[in-house]
Amino acid sequence: MFRLIRFVLLTLLVTAVLIGTVLTGFMVWAPAPTTQAIMVALRTQAGLHTRSLILPDGTRMAYLDGGQGEPLVLLHGIGGNKDTLLAVARHLTNHQRIIIPDLIGFGDSSRPEGVSYGPQAQARRLQAFVRQLGLGPIHLGGISMGGQIALTYTALNHSQVRSLWLIDTAGIWSAPPSEVQLAIRRGEPNPLLLRDEHDFPRFLSVVMAKPPQLPPPIARVFARQRLADREREQAIMNEMVREPTEKRIRGLTTPTLIMWGQLDRVVSPATIPVLQKLLPQAKVVVFDDVGHMPVMEVPETAAQAYLAFRRGR
């Protein structure tokens, strides 16, 4: 029996080494296909399936869809896409239906030229998307730019939003500026925009308190995607700043969870009391030692806090 156990363990070890060696080889020689394969595996693990539809304006909107129950639509931030929310989604699909679109201009969705990508334009596209899926009233969440769009959508369709989940949300420009905002005001390079294909680790250190150590070939794949959209991202940031959200949302009674990382350098946690005055019924959860991305830094804890909110705790 001992010999059999030793043989099985040795076989497993050799198999793991071989798989690791092969995977490392793929990362070096074919990083883009390897990255795509990893993302597909993570989507499957989260119980999500890739779909798309054509909006009335002719643009294609890609999205992830999975789970059962009342629909929760989650919106990514600038520089992100539907996969940004995979880590937290995998802890939610057993509880409800999760729908995560690539907003127009991002990910696998259309990138039309000469159109607005501001929060109000994106909220109206989201309105068409929700209507086309026949979802009816939805639960809605968003991180950073996605939070600003979620607030704008709710202001336009307050009777069609059952609850709001705002994660380190942008768009509250009367709040104290963040470290990133102050750097931009001083005329320094925008910390959220990549400078070259080796710049992704620096970017991660800005948006996360404890960023993961990605293999360099994979990091460069993500960097190249971001660099291709650099001008569009800057234009979208400019539009976001021109659209103040406060007047639209003042006094909204939609049940709301405000979630924040205490170490957020992108959107200051000092935004929270400003949001609380605008949304007097909101509940607040703040995570210590977490940056701008709770959904990636502490995904299970973030999901549990959201589910507790939905249960009314």
Side-chain angles (χ1 to χ4, degrees):
M1 177 62 71
F2 176 75
R3 289 181 179 178
L4 176 60
I5 293 173
R6 185 172 62 181
F7 173 76
V8 170
L9 290 175
L10 181 60
T11 301
L12 290 173
L13 177 61
V14 171
T15 302
V17 170
L18 288 173
I19 291 174
T21 302
V22 171
L23 183 57
T24 300
F26 275 124
M27 285 183 184
V28 172
W29 298 108
T34 302
T35 303
Q36 181 60 26
I38 292 170
M39 299 317 300
V40 170
L42 290 174
R43 294 170 192 167
T44 302
Q45 184 185 47
L48 296 167
H49 307 281
T50 306
R51 310 191 191 285
S52 67
L53 55 76
I54 305 299
L55 297 178
D57 64 2
T59 53
R60 176 178 177 271
M61 202 159 187
Y63 63 100
L64 297 174
D65 193 348
Q68 299 290 330
E70 293 182 355
L72 167 62
V73 178
L74 293 175
L75 307 178
H76 61 78
I78 196 161
N81 56 39
K82 56 187 180 296
D83 293 323
T84 304
L85 293 147
L86 281 178
V88 73
R90 68 185 292 265
H91 300 289
L92 296 171
T93 45
N94 287 335
H95 302 273
Q96 61 192 106
R97 183 181 178 188
I98 304 296
I99 300 166
I100 312 174
D102 274 334
L103 295 164
I104 296 299
F106 297 88
D108 296 321
S109 291
S110 297
R111 290 169 164 78
E113 298 293 336
V115 302
S116 172
Y117 289 102
Q120 190 161 202
Q122 294 285 35
R124 296 197 183 282
R125 294 184 186 107
L126 182 64
Q127 189 177 37
F129 173 79
V130 168
R131 187 181 299 120
Q132 197 155 329
L133 285 179
L135 297 179
I138 61 171
H139 300 275
L140 182 60
I143 181 166
S144 196
M145 176 191 73
Q148 185 178 7
I149 295 169
L151 283 168
T152 305
Y153 180 95
T154 304
L156 295 171
N157 309 273
H158 58 89
S159 65
Q160 295 301 304
V161 179
R162 296 180 185 273
S163 71
L164 265 174
W165 182 14
L166 303 175
I167 309 158
D168 297 68
T169 191
I172 309 302
W173 306 122
S174 62
S178 67
E179 178 183 329
V180 165
Q181 290 169 318
L182 289 173
I184 294 171
R185 291 182 186 181
R186 290 193 298 266
E188 298 173 12
N190 188 330
L192 300 179
L193 297 178
L194 267 62
R195 301 158 191 170
D196 56 50
E197 65 177 33
H198 302 286
D199 199 30
F200 200 70
R202 181 205 57 80
F203 164 75
L204 289 182
S205 72
V206 172
V207 298
M208 296 187 193
K210 298 176 182 177
Q213 299 298 313
L214 296 179
I218 302 298
R220 285 195 291 273
V221 170
F222 289 132
R224 288 166 190 157
Q225 294 170 349
R226 292 287 311 282
L227 288 168
D229 288 332
R230 193 176 191 278
E231 291 185 11
R232 181 179 289 108
E233 288 184 12
Q234 181 63 73
I236 293 171
M237 290 182 199
N238 294 341
E239 284 199 81
M240 289 171 61
V241 173
R242 288 197 296 267
E243 286 196 32
T245 310
E246 288 93 326
K247 291 182 180 179
R248 294 193 181 115
I249 66 172
R250 188 178 301 278
L252 272 181
T253 57
T254 305
T256 301
L257 174 64
I258 299 170
M259 183 175 288
W260 227 276
Q262 183 61 45
L263 300 181
D264 191 343
R265 300 166 62 190
V266 180
V267 185
S268 173
T271 304
I272 295 171
V274 181
L275 264 175
Q276 286 180 292
K277 289 181 180 179
L278 295 166
L279 308 171
Q281 297 188 34
K283 296 182 178 180
V284 176
V285 174
V286 178
F287 298 118
D288 296 333
D289 301 318
V290 172
H292 186 61
M293 303 291 292
V295 292
M296 296 183 77
E297 296 177 74
V298 287
E300 185 173 5
T301 306
Q304 290 172 349
Y306 174 72
L307 293 171
F309 160 73
R310 286 285 302 277
R311 290 192 295 267
R313 294 181 182 176

